[in-house]
Amino acid sequence: MADTVNSLASRVHELTVANLTSPASSAVQVDTGFHDVIARAATLGPDAAWLVGAGHSGLAALAFLHRQLDRALFHLDAAVTAGFNDCVALHAAALRPLHEDPRFRAIYQRMHITTADLDELLWIHREMHMMSQDARRASVENIGRRDLGISRLPQALIPTRVPNTPGVLIARIDLAATQTVLQRAIVKAEISRAGGNASISAVSYNWNEHGARRDAWRADDLESQRRQSAAARAFVERPGLSTLIAPCPPLGSLVSPS
């Protein structure tokens, strides 16, 4: 099957999920996969250039994780050349010590964005932070539930506006991957809990059916509240924001929610 932008974007999503889920055990496969994406995207022409950036930014993240600074900066530089411009991500707490590195600063100063795209990037990173908080709360709220139901983690829709800079598409994949990882973790824990309750109900004479129904009602109510909260957080494009491409805000001037 011939490669397409969509098929390679899906592959980047898969690799990002693998890296977020098990960075140690999947490191070699993820590294190989991102290199493969870069090679394949390079043959698709300008419309797929951002996927080259996605591959290099994925490799940079992998290298940063394993404290391979020179390799990380090499791939970050290549990612920026291919259109990566997630200046918000580069303000994450884990990367702030690098702000004094002249090589990092030189790479950052090459990134450009529009005010409208920056507004979406800030929303993407806030949403990833909010989703993580929702997942932690849901995990706590589901402790001790006696029903057999399985609750999912409602999530805000990914923006569909046409960005002014293609690097925003990379950040959207990061958001989608984070959603996938959190959803899978919640569902896995819920299946385990529900399965355990099913086993207990099958063998116990003291099974509290009324308590289980009450827990199910409460869980449905909490899931409804989370669904409403996620819907309320949906990205809304603000009119009047500049679409003029300009250098990213100065290093150190942004605050990453994560």
Side-chain angles (χ1 to χ4, degrees):
M1 182 182 295
D3 291 323
T4 65
V5 169
N6 286 340
S7 67
L8 290 181
S10 295
R11 180 59 175 152
V12 171
H13 175 270
E14 293 172 2
L15 293 167
T16 306
V17 168
N19 192 37
L20 290 173
T21 304
S22 52
S25 61
S26 65
V28 174
Q29 290 180 326
V30 171
D31 183 277
T32 301
F34 277 131
H35 276 101
D36 183 60
V37 166
I38 291 167
R40 291 174 180 270
T43 68
L44 295 182
D47 288 344
W50 69 273
L51 286 163
V52 174
H56 279 295
S57 67
L59 290 169
L62 192 63
F64 277 127
L65 184 64
H66 293 281
R67 303 177 186 239
Q68 300 168 339
L69 181 57
D70 290 342
R71 185 167 177 267
L73 292 175
F74 169 82
H75 286 295
L76 180 59
D77 185 65
V80 171
T81 298
F84 175 84
N85 63 352
D86 193 347
C87 48
V88 182
L90 298 187
H91 282 79
L95 296 181
R96 282 191 174 271
L98 293 176
H99 287 192
E100 300 306 316
D101 188 312
R103 297 170 298 171
F104 184 89
R105 297 184 70 86
I107 293 170
Y108 183 90
Q109 289 167 1
R110 292 176 51 226
M111 295 196 305
H112 290 72
I113 199 165
T114 68
T115 303
D117 282 353
L118 178 59
D119 198 49
E120 181 178 337
L121 286 182
L122 288 166
W123 177 88
I124 284 174
H125 285 276
R126 282 196 301 270
E127 179 57 23
M128 287 193 282
H129 181 65
M130 293 297 294
M131 284 185 338
S132 297
Q133 289 185 325
D134 280 353
R136 285 193 292 270
R137 279 194 295 266
S139 296
V140 172
E141 290 165 352
N142 288 333
I143 293 174
R145 272 180 59 183
R146 293 161 290 185
D147 64 292
L148 308 183
I150 295 176
S151 298
R152 295 181 177 272
L153 186 67
Q155 297 165 333
L157 295 176
I158 294 174
T160 58
R161 60 178 281 271
V162 178
N164 312 122
T165 55
V168 175
L169 300 175
I170 302 174
R172 289 180 186 172
I173 291 183
D174 289 339
L175 171 59
T178 301
Q179 289 180 334
T180 298
V181 169
L182 292 174
Q183 189 69 267
R184 286 180 182 176
I186 287 292
V187 170
K188 181 179 179 180
E190 283 287 88
I191 290 175
S192 177
R193 176 195 53 76
N197 286 344
S199 298
I200 294 172
S201 68
V203 300
S204 176
Y205 293 106
N206 297 318
W207 176 251
N208 188 339
E209 185 66 33
H210 177 70
R213 282 199 302 271
R214 187 169 61 248
D215 287 353
W217 293 333
R218 180 174 181 273
D220 287 345
D221 183 56
L222 290 171
E223 185 176 355
S224 177
Q225 292 177 30
R226 285 192 288 270
R227 188 179 301 110
Q228 292 172 12
S229 177
R233 297 198 309 263
F235 178 76
V236 177
E237 188 173 3
R238 294 190 292 165
L241 293 183
S242 174
T243 57
L244 178 67
I245 297 176
C248 286
L251 194 60
S253 65
L254 299 174
V255 177
S256 175
S258 55

